[in-house]
Amino acid sequence: MTQLLAARAGEITPAMRRVAEKEGVTPEFVRQGVAAGTIVIPANINHQNLDPVGFGRGLRTKVNANIGTSTGFPDPARELEKLQVVQSAGADAVMDLSTGGDIDLGRRQIIRASRLPVGTVPVYQAFLENRAKRGNMLTMSAADLFEVIERHCADGADFITVHCGITLEVLKRLKNQPRLTDIVSRGGSFLTAWMLHHGQENPLYEQYDRLLEICLKHDVTLSLGDGLRPGCLADATDRPQLQELIILGELTDRARAAGVQVMVEGPGHVPLDQIAANVQVQKTLCQGAPFYVLGPLVTDIAPGYDHITAAIGGAVAAAAGADFLCYVTPAEHLGLPTLEDVREGIMACRLAAHAADIAKGVPGALEWDRQMSAARKALDWDKQTALALDPRKAARFRQERNPDGHEACTMCGDYCAMKIVGQYLGKASAGC
């Protein structure tokens, strides 16, 4: 029985109880959200060491980190190091986007080592295996694709990104409304090339019921991918993107009817003033399904700083109702991220998520800030460090830039504003 079917039957599963405990809400609140489809708990029955996480309405905004090999860096050991950074930096989920080396081995190692929900994109491996075997990835058959999907689910992937909304009809709209950057989704580009080469419908759309059967068997959450997400501001919120989203809304209904949990992925590169509208349209068309967004990036001009452009967009999106943010690292658009890039990307994304949680009134969000303010007032540096989003970085900055035993920081030195005013308000004994 999947989490969704259990919730509809009135059963509170151990996973629901654990999510409720971590979120500070009641187990019944979680059960009702799962039953309605506004909360998902990606929890594959084959993922043995999973600490369940909930995504959706009324819960803390979650953060995903992408890792994975490439043809240039095929060593899975490197990605296991990144996984340790992902977990220590406070991400809520991780996706293995591997395209190089032994993809099966790397995925299985990541799932075994991860206490976080693990997502994958099976279509990558399906196409790449056909290229390796037959010299041309377009030789892939529907049977090949579903065999790889089954393999990922049997290995314990908790959620899978599947680009089911790219149809021949949608591609007609793409041809009729040319884009500046066309298709930037890797999975979306693979499927588009396959469909146009063969003149056949997307097998993930045409055989959607077959996909649902596999997910039902392993209790895998579908993450309906946005293969036509905009890759630049000029392409945002166009007809192909919205047509795909309409189809994803219909597929959301079918997944829920089959007892399969589902969330929906979103853009992409979006101007700041269009983000809230994008979230509202998704929530309306997809009946409140959890919304998983990449960024959104609010400008195209910041290579090296795209973790910041994504954090700006992510905060706006989450405040408007998005539930799950995919991190972007400083290396986005430039190359595979380093360990430090991964950490920086996670921290920027967590910052965006927390800012949105304050705006949404998520339990405990504002209290964290109140405690930090009290620690600053008291010049309690140890507590400030412990409460910091990134305690490691805060401790390093404090140690490197302030003399030992110095009460204030070197920004103000002897002229700490709170300390000066505190003396006149009779609060000097508190420190500042």
Side-chain angles (χ1 to χ4, degrees):
M1 180 175 285
T2 66
Q3 297 292 327
L4 177 54
L5 292 176
R8 286 179 181 164
E11 177 184 348
I12 295 176
T13 65
M16 295 177 201
R17 292 190 185 279
R18 176 59 178 152
V19 169
E21 176 187 353
K22 292 197 289 186
E23 297 286 342
V25 297
T26 67
E28 177 61 16
F29 176 86
V30 175
R31 185 200 68 79
Q32 290 181 5
V34 174
T38 58
I39 292 175
V40 298
I41 304 175
N44 188 318
I45 60 174
N46 304 307
H47 189 171
Q48 298 303 315
N49 63 330
L50 174 68
D51 186 7
V53 177
F55 308 78
R57 184 182 299 167
L59 306 182
R60 181 175 54 83
T61 303
K62 302 306 188 299
V63 169
N64 173 74
N66 293 334
I67 61 175
T69 60
S70 70
T71 53
F73 295 92
D75 185 5
R78 177 187 176 96
E79 303 314 305
L80 287 173
E81 291 181 44
K82 289 182 183 177
L83 174 62
Q84 297 310 310
V85 173
V86 168
Q87 296 188 126
S88 66
D92 303 289
V94 62
M95 288 198 76
D96 174 21
L97 308 185
S98 291
T99 57
D102 190 334
I103 297 176
D104 284 330
L105 174 64
R107 177 179 64 258
R108 290 162 185 162
Q109 289 178 336
I110 287 170
I111 291 172
R112 282 197 299 270
S114 178
R115 65 179 182 274
L116 304 176
V118 176
T120 66
V121 189
V123 68
Y124 293 172
Q125 187 173 3
F127 276 98
L128 297 176
E129 282 187 351
N130 273 270
R131 182 182 181 185
K133 292 176 183 176
R134 305 182 180 103
N136 186 341
M137 69 181 187
L138 296 182
T139 60
M140 185 202 73
S141 67
D144 294 330
L145 175 57
F146 282 101
E147 187 278 326
V148 173
I149 291 172
E150 175 70 44
R151 203 186 311 164
H152 282 227
C153 294
D155 284 344
D158 300 292
F159 61 100
I160 56 172
T161 291
V162 281
H163 305 86
C164 304
I166 302 177
T167 66
L168 291 173
E169 184 64 29
V170 170
L171 292 181
K172 287 182 183 179
R173 283 182 168 77
L174 182 63
K175 290 181 179 180
N176 292 333
Q177 184 178 351
R179 286 178 159 189
L180 185 58
T181 57
D182 298 319
I183 295 177
V184 299
S185 161
R186 186 161 48 193
S189 69
F190 287 174
L191 283 165
T192 296
W194 186 93
M195 293 163 63
L196 295 178
H197 176 77
H198 293 281
Q200 295 179 18
E201 187 57 271
N202 181 353
L204 293 172
Y205 177 77
E206 194 170 49
Q207 301 184 44
Y208 189 62
D209 289 339
R210 184 176 179 180
L211 177 63
L212 294 178
E213 288 175 5
I214 296 173
C215 292
L216 190 67
K217 176 182 176 182
H218 302 281
D219 196 3
V220 172
T221 298
L222 279 181
S223 187
L224 295 177
D226 52 338
L228 294 179
R229 67 176 179 267
C232 66
L233 299 192
D235 295 339
T237 324
D238 65 359
R239 289 193 294 270
Q241 176 196 335
L242 295 179
Q243 177 64 19
E244 182 186 30
L245 183 58
I246 290 171
I247 293 172
L248 296 185
E250 296 167 352
L251 297 179
T252 296
D253 292 345
R254 289 175 58 185
R256 288 172 171 171
V260 174
Q261 297 185 100
V262 60
M263 54 187 172
V264 177
E265 298 184 15
H269 293 236
V270 181
L272 199 66
D273 62 321
Q274 295 181 26
I275 292 175
N278 270 260
V279 175
Q280 182 59 52
V281 169
Q282 183 275 341
K283 287 291 183 178
T284 300
L285 294 178
C286 301
Q287 303 294 315
F291 198 19
Y292 174 24
V293 296
L294 176 62
L297 283 74
V298 296
T299 180
D300 301 329
I301 64 164
Y305 298 93
D306 276 328
H307 59 311
I308 298 175
T309 68
I312 294 169
V316 176
D323 309 283
F324 189 19
L325 306 180
C326 186
Y327 88 156
V328 171
T329 76
E332 184 78 8
H333 300 115
L334 299 172
L336 206 64
T338 64
L339 296 178
E340 191 56 33
D341 290 335
V342 168
R343 187 176 186 86
E344 286 292 307
I346 291 171
M347 291 304 172
C349 197
R350 286 184 59 203
L351 179 62
H354 178 67
D357 286 346
I358 294 172
K360 289 191 286 191
V362 172
L366 188 58
E367 175 59 20
W368 185 2
D369 289 69
R370 191 201 68 77
Q371 291 180 20
M372 176 62 87
S373 297
R376 282 181 176 150
K377 178 67 175 175
L379 285 182
D380 186 338
W381 294 104
D382 289 340
K383 190 168 185 180
Q384 288 181 61
T385 299
L387 288 167
L389 183 80
D390 186 351
R392 188 187 74 170
K393 191 170 188 177
R396 177 167 59 83
F397 275 32
R398 174 65 185 169
Q399 182 178 16
E400 292 176 352
R401 306 180 188 196
N402 297 277
D404 290 341
H406 197 273
E407 185 182 33
C409 72
T410 52
M411 175 67 75
C412 294
D414 296 332
Y415 305 106
C416 175
M418 288 192 291
K419 188 171 185 177
I420 292 170
V421 174
Q423 291 173 346
Y424 286 94
L425 294 178
K427 299 179 181 180
S429 61
C432 178

